[in-house]
Amino acid sequence: MTSKDRDVFEMGPATLRISRKQLHTGTRRKLQEGMQKALPKEKLGVAVLKGGEPFLIYSTDMEGTFRQESYFHYLFGVQEEDCLGAVNLQTGRSYLFIPRLPDTYAVWMGPIKGLDDYKAIYAVDEVHYADDMERVLSELKPVALHLLCGTNTDRAVVSNPAFGFSLLLHMQRKTAEELEVMHYANQVASAAHVQVMQQIKPHMMEYAAESVFMYTAYSRGGCRHAPYTPICASGPNGSTLHYGHAASPNDREIGSNDKHAVVPLRARRIGSHSKHEMCLMQLERLAAISGMSRVPIADREIGSNDMLLLDMGCEYYCYDSDITCSFPASGKFSEDQAMVYEAVLAAHQAVLQAIKPGISWPDMHLLAERHILAGLKEGGWLQGEVEDMLEQRIAALFMPHGLGHLLGLDTHDVGGYAPGTPPRIDKPGLRSLRTARVLEEYMVVTVEPGCYFNPFLLHPAFEDPSQAPFLNKKRLEASLGFGGVRIEDDVVVTADGARSMTNVPRAITDIEAVMAGAPWPRQPATATQAAQPQHLTMAEQQLQSQHSGQSDTTDVHNSKEMQKPAAASSSESSGMMAGVASVVQSGIQSLGLGKK
């Protein structure tokens, strides 16, 4: 790497090269120009942001894996811990403050980078040591320090002090450089999902799917981290929305064909009964005798008739992808599996076609519900009028989660219920939406309709006089071991439509072909399948889709070619900016630095 491109981030020759200077100069400029529109010049000072810190796991001396704080990464792209940054909102000049490390650091952690190294790598105007921060900021004589201290309105989590205004609107609308990184993360995750689709077989463990995905994403795409815990659910586990957590770590062996059982504690294979498992079998017999309720088990083997629901994404340069694929372990859809899948796919396609700036996200959720309800009615699971079902919130029995969420530096990106935006709707299903906003150009959202046969939702509904008339109890009870189907793409809102960045087979014919060994993306018969996943730019993916006849779910939906966003289109943010003035010393103290 030459001295001219020291600011470039990459994870190897086959991975995306990112110019930190180009990306973060753009995000800092958006911040500066947005604040200049929100506040009079005499009130503009210096924005100060604190980066992430190392942390220990509980009471041990074992450090957790560090990942940079998202707001700090957005403006500076710094990989190291214990740094701070500042932006002069009047001049746009950027400052980085790094820890002064002892010589012994080099023994354990490697060479210590100097001030000039940080300046070249992170393309900022000035770099100083953190213990000089108070002096440097004082010399600037700012009229105010802007520090962040606010509440995550999605989950009521209060952020640590970093600046006194919100970055929400700036981060929601992505720059062209950000979109290219997110597109790359989608290409890597898409290729990893295809690998899983081609390798997973009945009688494997669920975590085999997770391991294939993570191996492919890291070894071939340089994506070290998963932005959330992978969900690899088979059979009835697919009805548990956040399956894969610590108590159910994707540890079912796919294919044991027992629809319901007492939850075992460890993974096993059929026919290998340890003493521990013999005890569990005795407990199961006792449960049957006593009439204890039974729940979907967490470690069944993948059966040939099992539906798989795999929700996995990867992260590149802290930007996330979030993709869900659903398909049968056998490689061939049964009649019921096809009916449920087609209902969800119809909802998915309808939303992709309808998305454009100015569209209400709750309206998209209701659109998805209509298609799912219609499909379930056609398949004999429901009866009655779809509009009446919507009124009684029947759809929430089958899709209790929201249609999707904002995506960016975090899986659930900032600003879902920011001040001045529509409030949460307090109705089943709709209250689970992570935003009720009107969509804007350059937002990125996940589109993830789903349909699940969850006994904890359906059994009470069978006894509810307002819901039971719509439910075919016999048909539904026979499907309680089905699990669920979810189809999830990551979608950019364009000037007049939307574009999916996800590139996986969606049509049933494509899924069955890929599971039988066909290449993806589809190639001419004379072409050979590439040994490595293809990491295409957005323009290249669109061109390939047009040439290959790829299914519409990964093509352009009612949109023009992606154009570069304006670097700082934030005039609408003025009502959401809350400048907090303070003297330099009190601002430094708010960050936990300096004398108190």
Side-chain angles (χ1 to χ4, degrees):
M1 184 178 294
T2 66
S3 59
K4 291 192 300 182
D5 59 3
R6 288 191 68 189
D7 72 303
V8 170
F9 172 90
E10 65 176 357
M11 288 293 288
T15 63
L16 181 68
R17 288 169 55 86
I18 300 168
S19 167
R20 290 187 178 97
K21 180 177 182 180
Q22 186 174 359
L23 196 159
H24 298 291
T25 297
T27 57
R28 291 193 293 265
R29 184 169 60 246
K30 281 181 67 178
L31 170 67
Q32 178 195 5
E33 295 184 9
M35 287 298 290
Q36 287 177 345
K37 293 174 182 177
L39 295 174
K41 184 175 181 180
E42 61 272 15
K43 292 187 177 181
L44 288 173
V46 174
V48 181
L49 191 66
K50 187 176 183 179
E53 301 172 335
F55 63 95
L56 300 179
I57 299 176
Y58 302 119
S59 59
T60 72
D61 64 353
M62 181 68 181
E63 285 194 9
T65 301
F66 177 76
R67 191 265 198 192
Q68 187 56 267
E69 195 277 330
S70 295
Y71 290 114
F72 192 74
H73 181 86
Y74 178 71
L75 291 180
F76 297 99
V78 174
Q79 293 176 270
E80 288 82 359
E81 308 161 345
D82 289 325
C83 294
L84 299 100
V87 179
N88 188 322
L89 296 175
Q90 295 202 16
T91 67
R93 196 165 180 82
S94 56
Y95 305 80
L96 189 62
F97 301 92
I98 65 173
R100 196 186 296 269
L101 300 170
D103 293 340
T104 54
Y105 178 94
V107 177
W108 298 94
M109 306 300 286
I112 299 174
K113 293 192 282 285
L115 300 178
D116 289 341
D117 294 314
Y118 275 87
K119 184 176 180 180
I121 293 169
Y122 296 114
V124 292
D125 295 308
E126 295 185 28
V127 180
H128 303 273
Y129 289 111
D131 52 21
D132 288 330
M133 183 175 180
E134 186 171 349
R135 173 187 59 79
V136 172
L137 294 182
S138 296
E139 290 174 355
L140 294 177
K141 296 181 172 56
V143 296
L145 288 187
H146 303 280
L147 310 174
L148 171 70
C149 186
T151 301
N152 179 330
T153 54
D154 188 26
R155 299 189 64 188
V157 177
V158 177
S159 67
N160 290 323
F163 17 138
F165 57 88
S166 175
L167 283 171
L168 299 182
L169 286 186
H170 303 302
M171 296 179 72
Q172 290 156 17
R173 299 181 65 192
K174 305 300 187 280
T175 65
E177 292 79 15
E178 290 181 286
L179 289 175
E180 198 62 54
V181 181
M182 294 187 70
H183 181 84
Y184 175 79
N186 257 268
Q187 291 295 290
V188 174
S190 296
H193 270 286
V194 170
Q195 288 291 310
V196 174
M197 202 173 287
Q198 293 180 327
Q199 293 186 33
I200 203 68
K201 305 295 180 188
H203 308 297
M204 288 183 174
M205 302 302 294
E206 291 170 328
Y207 54 68
E210 179 181 356
S211 65
V212 170
F213 180 92
M214 295 305 296
Y215 170 79
T216 304
Y218 196 8
S219 67
R220 301 186 183 185
C223 296
R224 184 179 189 185
H225 300 298
Y228 55 92
T229 302
I231 298 170
C232 298
S234 62
N237 292 339
S239 67
T240 301
L241 299 183
H242 282 177
Y243 179 77
H245 55 81
S248 298
N250 298 323
D251 60 351
R252 170 182 174 269
E253 187 178 330
I254 306 172
S256 61
N257 297 320
D258 46 346
K259 293 183 179 179
H260 303 281
V262 173
V263 179
L265 300 180
R266 295 292 178 200
R268 65 174 173 84
R269 285 185 176 275
I270 296 302
S272 58
H273 299 302
S274 65
K275 290 182 179 179
H276 168 73
E277 291 167 325
M278 293 298 290
C279 291
L280 289 172
M281 291 169 66
Q282 302 237 354
L283 286 173
E284 184 175 343
R285 293 190 189 100
L286 288 172
I289 294 170
S290 63
M292 289 171 56
S293 62
R294 300 156 76 82
V295 297
I297 71 168
D299 67 348
R300 297 165 59 239
E301 69 172 17
I302 300 175
S304 60
N305 294 323
D306 280 351
M307 196 70 187
L308 305 182
L309 189 158
L310 306 180
D311 185 340
M312 297 181 284
C314 60
E315 179 178 286
Y316 191 78
Y317 197 60
C318 289
Y319 284 89
D320 297 345
S321 58
D322 182 357
I323 299 171
T324 305
C325 295
S326 300
F327 53 88
S330 65
K332 291 289 184 181
F333 283 79
S334 70
E335 184 178 356
D336 279 2
Q337 288 170 345
M339 283 191 288
V340 176
Y341 186 88
E342 290 288 5
V344 177
L345 183 61
H348 182 265
Q349 293 279 54
V351 171
L352 288 178
Q353 294 289 348
I355 287 178
K356 61 182 179 180
I359 289 292
S360 163
W361 193 237
D363 286 348
M364 295 296 93
H365 181 98
L366 293 172
L367 175 63
E369 286 187 343
R370 281 188 174 87
H371 283 275
I372 292 170
L373 290 171
L376 291 177
K377 178 181 175 180
E378 184 177 352
W381 287 281
L382 296 177
Q383 55 205 9
E385 298 300 321
V386 169
E387 291 303 316
D388 294 336
M389 296 180 203
L390 286 168
E391 182 67 25
Q392 294 299 323
R393 303 305 304 138
I394 299 299
L397 299 174
F398 300 93
M399 190 174 79
H401 61 74
L403 174 64
H405 49 82
L406 295 165
L407 184 71
L409 286 168
D410 294 293
T411 304
H412 300 146
D413 208 17
V414 295
Y417 290 99
T421 62
R424 192 182 297 271
I425 301 170
D426 191 19
K427 292 182 179 180
L430 290 166
R431 69 169 62 99
S432 297
L433 282 169
R434 294 186 179 274
T435 186
R437 295 189 60 166
V438 172
L439 298 181
E440 301 175 30
E441 188 178 5
Y442 307 125
M443 281 183 171
V444 177
V445 292
T446 65
V447 175
E448 48 180 306
C451 179
Y452 317 88
F453 296 89
N454 189 308
F456 298 103
L457 292 173
L458 290 173
H459 281 307
F462 292 149
E463 309 302 322
D464 187 327
S466 67
Q467 296 181 320
F470 298 101
L471 308 178
N472 184 337
K473 183 178 181 181
K474 184 177 180 179
R475 179 91 162 103
L476 287 167
E477 284 184 330
S479 301
L480 289 180
F482 182 103
V485 168
R486 183 161 64 249
I487 301 174
E488 180 179 16
D489 279 24
D490 301 341
V491 176
V492 186
V493 182
T494 63
D496 58 358
R499 162 183 278 281
S500 173
M501 296 185 286
T502 304
N503 189 3
V504 295
R506 292 304 191 196
I508 286 179
T509 53
D510 288 337
I511 292 172
E512 292 181 342
V514 168
M515 294 189 72
W520 186 266
R522 287 201 296 256
Q523 299 172 358
T526 55
T528 58
Q529 186 173 1
Q532 294 282 89
Q534 298 180 35
H535 306 315
L536 307 177
T537 65
M538 288 182 285
E540 288 170 341
Q541 180 180 331
Q542 182 183 4
L543 185 63
Q544 183 188 66
S545 299
Q546 293 169 346
H547 287 173
S548 68
Q550 188 174 320
S551 62
D552 288 342
T553 52
T554 53
D555 204 348
V556 177
H557 301 284
N558 206 23
S559 68
K560 295 178 180 178
E561 180 67 24
M562 287 294 300
Q563 298 180 6
K564 186 171 182 177
S569 177
S570 303
S571 59
E572 68 273 38
S573 66
S574 59
M576 294 178 61
M577 290 300 178
V580 178
S582 65
V583 298
V584 170
Q585 187 173 14
S586 64
I588 295 294
Q589 290 174 353
S590 298
L591 294 166
L593 305 170
K595 298 178 181 179
K596 296 185 177 180

